[in-house]
Amino acid sequence: AQKITQTQPGMFVQEKEAVTLDCTYDTSDPSYGLFWYKQPSSGEMIFLIYQGSYDQQNATEGRYSLNFQKARKSANLVISASQLGDSAMYFCAMRERGAGSYQLTFGKGTKLSVIP
Amino acid sequence: GAGVSQSPSNKVTEKGKDVELRCDPISGHTALYWYRQSLGQGLEFLIYFQGNSAPDKSGLPSDRFSAERTGGSVSTLTIQRTQQEDSAVYLCASSLLSSGTIYEQYFGPGTRLTVT
């Protein structure tokens, strides 16, 4: 089974609107971390936001927030007030602490296009 | 401070030749990771370094792939006898390291490898 599932290959959003990018995950480890990265056409992976499995509150970073629903195993990224510069690939990733490795497992990504 | 740097940014090589890819992590980051990004496979973990040792090499696809890290800093990924399926973007990341905390990984710009 895939550990990280991003079901939206592509999304469109109007400039200044909010958009939600979906991510579901699969783990039996009670301790894990969830990450979102942005990859513009230039190719560099940019860290956006992090949510720990024991965090009580949803993470927020500026216009980014993470809608963490632990029971549903979902960690959706919400981008408010979309800007043209938000057009990029977005990847959800997970690190399981009990795995003994520090690697990130990535989803296949969602391509977001912001329309002026 | 400076981010993760990688060189070369692009590498074109003939099938059967050896290549070396270099990564210079963020100063003070004990952990270093190599990932590979290709169209068909998405983002795949290759190897993880903790200091100069590599406790997790589980992602290396074959014995043609090797990596080393010296002085707890620069890392080199070597691919021997390159094959066309090795064509991909090779991404390096680094992070702080603690058994009790999950830290975000910061990525370099990648090396685009093309095997002809």
Side-chain angles (χ1 to χ4, degrees):
Chain A
Q2 280 195 354
K3 290 207 169 186
I4 298 286
T5 303
Q6 294 181 254
T7 57
Q8 307 150 315
M11 289 278 287
F12 289 89
V13 65
Q14 205 76 40
E15 195 178 2
K16 298 178 186 168
E17 297 290 311
V19 63
T20 298
L21 306 183
D22 294 343
C23 172
T24 57
Y25 59 92
D26 183 25
T27 181
S28 56
D29 191 333
S31 180
Y32 54 90
L34 296 157
F35 301 80
W36 277 92
Y37 284 85
K38 171 184 178 181
Q39 189 176 41
S41 56
S42 59
E44 190 158 350
M45 296 284 283
I46 302 167
F47 166 71
L48 296 178
I49 197 166
Y50 164 77
Q51 180 86 41
S53 59
Y54 293 120
D55 293 344
Q56 295 296 313
Q57 304 225 343
N58 286 345
T60 60
E61 285 287 347
R63 294 186 299 109
Y64 304 108
S65 60
L66 203 151
N67 183 359
F68 181 46
Q69 298 188 42
K70 196 169 179 176
R72 290 187 170 188
K73 293 189 174 177
S74 78
N76 299 338
L77 177 70
V78 180
I79 305 174
S80 63
S82 296
Q83 301 171 356
L84 295 178
D86 294 335
S87 293
M89 283 291 291
Y90 288 81
F91 291 94
C92 180
M94 176 173 65
R95 206 211 103 185
E96 298 164 286
R97 208 160 94 185
S101 173
Y102 292 73
Q103 62 171 287
L104 292 175
T105 303
F106 287 85
K108 296 203 177 294
T110 295
K111 183 174 182 179
L112 178 67
S113 300
V114 180
I115 305 164
Chain B
V4 178
S5 61
Q6 291 185 246
S7 61
S9 54
N10 277 286
K11 176 73 177 178
V12 180
T13 190
E14 289 180 357
K15 178 182 169 182
K17 296 277 175 85
D18 298 352
V19 295
E20 282 191 354
L21 312 180
R22 176 189 166 107
C23 171
D24 206 335
I26 292 172
S27 177
H29 279 190
T30 309
L32 186 147
Y33 316 79
W34 283 98
Y35 294 87
R36 178 168 73 171
Q37 186 174 26
S38 55
L39 278 174
Q41 300 298 322
L43 269 151
E44 306 171 275
F45 165 78
L46 297 177
I47 188 169
Y48 150 66
F49 284 93
Q50 184 173 319
N52 290 337
S53 65
D56 188 355
K57 307 178 185 180
S58 62
L60 294 177
S62 77
D63 58 7
R64 296 186 295 105
F65 287 72
S66 63
E68 64 173 13
R69 188 178 184 195
T70 55
S73 180
V74 171
S75 176
T76 304
L77 177 69
T78 302
I79 309 173
Q80 295 179 308
R81 305 180 303 281
T82 51
Q83 303 293 313
Q84 287 186 329
E85 62 262 27
D86 300 335
S87 296
V89 176
Y90 289 82
L91 292 164
C92 176
S94 70
S95 75
L96 294 170
L97 188 65
S98 163
S99 60
T101 303
I102 295 178
Y103 290 102
E104 60 272 21
Q105 297 178 17
Y106 293 92
F107 283 77
T111 294
R112 181 175 296 277
L113 175 66
T114 304
V115 182
T116 60

